[in-house]
Amino acid sequence: MEHNRIMDILILGAGYGGLRVAVELNTLLRDRRHQVQVTLVDQNPYHQIIQEFHLVATAAISKDDAAMALSHILERRDVRFRQGRVTSINVAGRRVSFVDGEALSYDYLVIALGSETSYANIPGAREHTIPLRTIDDAIHLRDHIFARYREAATTVNPQQRRILMTIAIIGAGYTGCQLAGELSAWAPELCRITGAPYDDVRIPLLEHSPLLLRHMGQWASDEAARVLDRRRVSVYLNTDVERVEAGVLHVSDNRMLRAGTLVWAGGVKAPDLLADSGLPTDETGRALVDRYLRVQDQARVFALGDCAHVPDSQGEAVPATASYAMRQGEHLARSLLADIEGQSPKMYEPMRLGEVVSLGPDEAVGNPLGGRIFGPAAVLLKKGIAQWYISTLR
Ligand SMILES: Cc1cc2nc3c(=O)[nH]c(=O)nc-3n(C[C@H](O)[C@H](O)[C@H](O)COP(=O)(O)OP(=O)(O)OC[C@H]3O[C@@H](n4cnc5c(N)ncnc54)[C@H](O)[C@@H]3O)c2cc1C
């Protein structure tokens, strides 16, 4: 450790990965006498609990339940918070620039900037669909659905009314499936509040691959399809969205689907600023890191979570999920401490803990530790994970 000087650890992004680095570092440094300043940066003053966004979009919970104030989380932790939008990273000069023209320097840099919506170059998708990547998106979607259903309640033309009440979801990964399940459960109450007729509710879920929840395999896809079908969600597999216009999806085989609400759940990509800053990136813009989460050829620059291409022991990139981002955050906090203390950090060994995906308030499907779980047991596990997560931030 360099003596008589405070070491600056700068963490970009207060999401699942970056916040975990900050919280764990605070715990690890507590009883040590190192001269270290940990600074956490985010464009928002809150931590987004993205896994709950489908509940915000369906009015099951409020914004505050899915966006926790960082001032509150960091209240009793020795972590400085700087709100601001990062615009570039200057690795040679060890500086990070913000949109307001200010800059911060660092000794160690952790890049945990997550991902943003990817529209896969589909014409009209960005302009005419609503994504579900930020808390503001979730609120916008909720308000949009309310407005369409209110309009439907006073629309006499039955065809026009059905279109207004159709909520089409593009992409059946966990974002699309969780939202579809929750929307169908919300529909009766939504119709009661707005006066729209329940019989006209339509929730088509479109997926270009042959599977729902593709990363979880055939059995999970079959289980999700069984549950969603019972919930009046119409699943269309092997269906490519080719073009989007206002209220219209043009899909494979020259088919067309009209809907009052078009939700984009079709994928994410790393922020452009990584490649724009000259960092080594893969073809999807994620920072290339080694098995210590260190950005290639950079001794003190690390990346993790959705914005990093983190290799497993076979060289394959580990999945972009909250649980991986958190584990990487914990690991990196220990590695940073080791480095500061002049010890060798350990290699990051990804553990496949699995996922649990809700399909409405009382259905879920999951593959914890490679097993298969569904029904009430999966619902309980999903809720337990959500509560446990919040408890780690208190
Ligand atoms: C709707 C939805 C549902 C999901 N459900 C699940 C689930 O059930 N289970 C699961 O495991 N995973 C789920 N995921 C994936 C999971 O949310 C991500 O893998 C996880 O958030 C990645 O963590 P991260 O720290 O890399 O990024 P994030 O958690 O996205 O954090 C990135 C942070 O960086 C900040 N930031 C970005 N750019 C800038 C900038 N230029 N300047 C300043 N700050 C910036 C953002 O504000 C954000 O706080 C879901 C994702 C979505 C979109």
Side-chain angles (χ1 to χ4, degrees):
M1 164 145 186
E2 292 168 31
H3 289 286
N4 304 325
R5 193 173 77 76
I6 294 181
M7 298 289 271
D8 279 312
I9 301 181
L10 185 58
I11 304 168
L12 307 183
Y16 287 88
L19 182 58
R20 189 61 31 190
V21 180
V23 165
E24 290 295 318
L25 262 179
N26 173 70
T27 308
L28 293 171
L29 290 168
R30 196 178 291 147
D31 298 323
R32 292 175 159 89
R33 299 171 68 95
H34 298 313
Q35 300 266 72
V36 176
Q37 173 66 60
V38 179
T39 304
L40 180 63
V41 167
D42 203 284
Q43 60 196 344
N44 300 313
Y46 45 76
H47 167 63
Q48 303 186 92
I49 305 177
I50 301 173
Q51 293 168 330
E52 310 278 290
F53 282 178
H54 58 289
L55 299 175
V56 177
T58 53
I61 62 173
S62 71
K63 174 176 178 172
D64 290 348
D65 295 321
M68 285 176 81
L70 284 160
S71 57
H72 182 61
I73 297 172
L74 301 176
E75 202 169 32
R76 279 189 227 111
R77 293 180 163 113
D78 191 12
V79 174
R80 196 161 61 185
F81 176 62
R82 159 69 154 94
Q83 186 184 345
R85 182 159 178 81
V86 176
T87 50
S88 70
I89 300 167
N90 175 350
V91 172
R94 289 189 176 187
R95 283 168 79 77
V96 167
S97 301
F98 291 85
V99 73
D100 59 12
E102 287 193 15
L104 282 179
S105 56
Y106 61 82
D107 296 295
Y108 290 90
L109 180 66
V110 175
I111 307 170
L113 291 171
S115 51
E116 47 195 54
T117 304
S118 161
Y119 296 95
N121 293 325
I122 294 172
R126 180 187 296 275
E127 295 80 4
H128 302 300
T129 65
I130 302 175
L132 189 59
R133 186 63 187 87
T134 67
I135 189 79
D136 291 337
D137 293 337
I139 289 163
H140 175 50
L141 178 57
R142 181 196 66 193
D143 294 348
H144 178 93
I145 294 172
F146 263 125
R148 288 292 176 274
Y149 271 59
R150 284 207 180 94
E151 199 182 334
T154 56
T155 300
V156 185
N157 180 320
Q159 196 193 350
Q160 185 57 25
R161 191 173 59 228
R162 265 197 298 277
I163 291 172
L164 284 168
M165 292 178 64
T166 300
I167 306 169
I169 304 170
I170 304 137
Y174 35 53
T175 303
C177 287
Q178 295 195 136
L179 181 65
E182 205 60 41
L183 276 171
S184 65
W186 182 40
E189 198 201 343
L190 176 64
C191 290
R192 190 183 52 73
I193 296 170
T194 56
Y198 180 64
D199 279 350
D200 285 346
V201 174
R202 300 276 184 284
I203 308 173
L205 175 61
L206 290 74
E207 166 61 40
H208 80 101
S209 82
L211 297 178
L212 298 171
L213 303 170
R214 160 164 67 100
H215 298 294
M216 292 170 72
Q218 184 73 52
W219 78 272
S221 176
D222 293 345
E223 174 63 14
R226 190 184 64 75
V227 170
L228 292 175
D229 186 52
R230 227 178 39 220
R231 290 186 169 277
R232 299 174 41 151
V233 174
S234 315
V235 173
Y236 298 92
L237 297 173
N238 298 305
T239 301
D240 279 324
V241 172
E242 292 167 351
R243 188 160 56 88
V244 188
E245 289 169 14
V248 187
L249 292 179
H250 295 271
V251 299
S252 344
D253 304 326
N254 287 326
R255 286 173 297 161
M256 219 168 76
L257 193 154
R258 292 186 189 278
T261 306
L262 300 174
V263 185
W264 186 262
V268 292
K269 66 176 187 62
D272 292 339
L273 92 87
L274 275 65
D276 292 350
S277 297
L279 295 169
T281 53
D282 68 6
E283 66 286 352
T284 64
R286 294 177 297 181
L288 289 168
V289 300
D290 63 17
R291 300 213 41 219
Y292 297 88
L293 305 176
R294 205 168 8 214
V295 172
Q296 277 181 7
D297 306 323
Q298 299 297 328
R300 289 182 172 184
V301 182
F302 302 82
L304 75 164
D306 283 12
C307 74
H309 177 121
V310 179
D312 63 15
S313 54
Q314 316 295 315
E316 296 286 318
V318 305
T321 71
S323 52
Y324 278 101
M326 282 171 62
R327 299 257 152 198
Q328 289 160 16
E330 281 167 16
H331 182 88
L332 186 53
R334 287 194 294 273
S335 299
L336 287 169
L337 181 70
D339 201 82
I340 287 165
E341 295 186 337
Q343 291 161 16
S344 308
K346 288 203 178 105
M347 210 181 255
Y348 166 67
E349 298 288 353
M351 246 176 78
R352 295 204 177 268
L353 293 177
E355 315 301 332
V356 190
V357 180
S358 68
L359 301 166
D362 48 15
E363 291 284 358
V365 57
N367 58 357
L369 301 173
R372 295 179 179 187
I373 186 171
F374 46 84
V379 174
L380 263 180
L381 184 59
K382 178 82 180 167
K383 288 190 175 147
I385 293 170
Q387 277 166 12
W388 164 82
Y389 182 64
I390 302 290
S391 75
T392 65
L393 300 178
R394 294 226 162 93

